[in-house]
Structure formats: C-alpha cells, structure tokens
Amino acid sequence: MVFFPDFNVRNGHHIYPAADLSEQISTAGKEASGTGNMKFSMNGALTIGTLDGATSRIREEVGAENFLSLRLTAEEVFELKAGVTTVVVL
C-alpha cells in the first residue's frame, strides 16, 4: 500500500493505471463521489467501497465480482437514522 500525499488530477494520471485497488469508503448518501473512482475502475482496479452514487454505477458496469461492498447502502443509512429499521453490520 502506498499513500500519495499530494494527490491531484495531474498526479492521478500516473497513479490510476498502476492501481490494483481503489478504496472509496464514506458514509453512503453523505458524500459526493467524483470521477477518480471511475478512472481507477476503468484501469482494472478492484473497487472497495460503499454502495452509493458513482460506486453503484461502477458495480453495475464491472460486475459484483469486481466490487467489494462495505458498510451500508444510502437507503439503509437513512432508514437507520429515521429509526425505521435495525441494520446489523458484520
């Protein structure tokens, strides 16, 4: 694993093709997803993240076998906060 301290668009062009994994973890429904995760996916990286926004579309296109879903979906987050349902995260 490598942490790139000054990640920006210019430096991203060097990183996207070299990545095997793309971590896109946030609280579903609370943060906007950008196009960076799509660039990682288009270059063959396995996406690890919450199933929300652009990551949902990525999963539809690349298939569930190329996407590791973590945590809750946006709907589950909203239901949990509203007290509508109990969600167990393993």
Side-chain angles (χ1 to χ4, degrees):
M1 178 181 280
V2 175
F3 174 74
F4 202 90
D6 188 25
F7 186 78
N8 55 41
V9 173
R10 184 177 190 191
N11 293 330
H13 292 288
H14 301 288
I15 296 169
Y16 296 130
D20 293 321
L21 300 172
S22 171
E23 180 184 21
Q24 305 295 329
I25 300 174
S26 62
T27 300
K30 298 295 180 187
E31 297 181 32
S33 35
T35 57
N37 51 356
M38 293 179 198
K39 292 176 185 176
F40 281 115
S41 181
M42 288 174 26
N43 281 284
L46 170 71
T47 301
I48 303 168
T50 51
L51 196 53
D52 183 34
T55 56
S56 297
R57 293 297 308 264
I58 289 172
R59 185 172 186 244
E60 289 174 13
E61 296 299 323
V62 302
E65 66 277 5
N66 296 307
F67 186 96
L68 177 59
S69 179
L70 301 175
R71 303 192 181 154
L72 307 175
T73 65
E75 293 78 18
E76 290 170 332
V77 169
F78 297 132
E79 288 176 1
L80 187 61
K81 286 190 177 218
V84 174
T85 187
T86 301
V87 179
V88 177
V89 179
L90 302 175

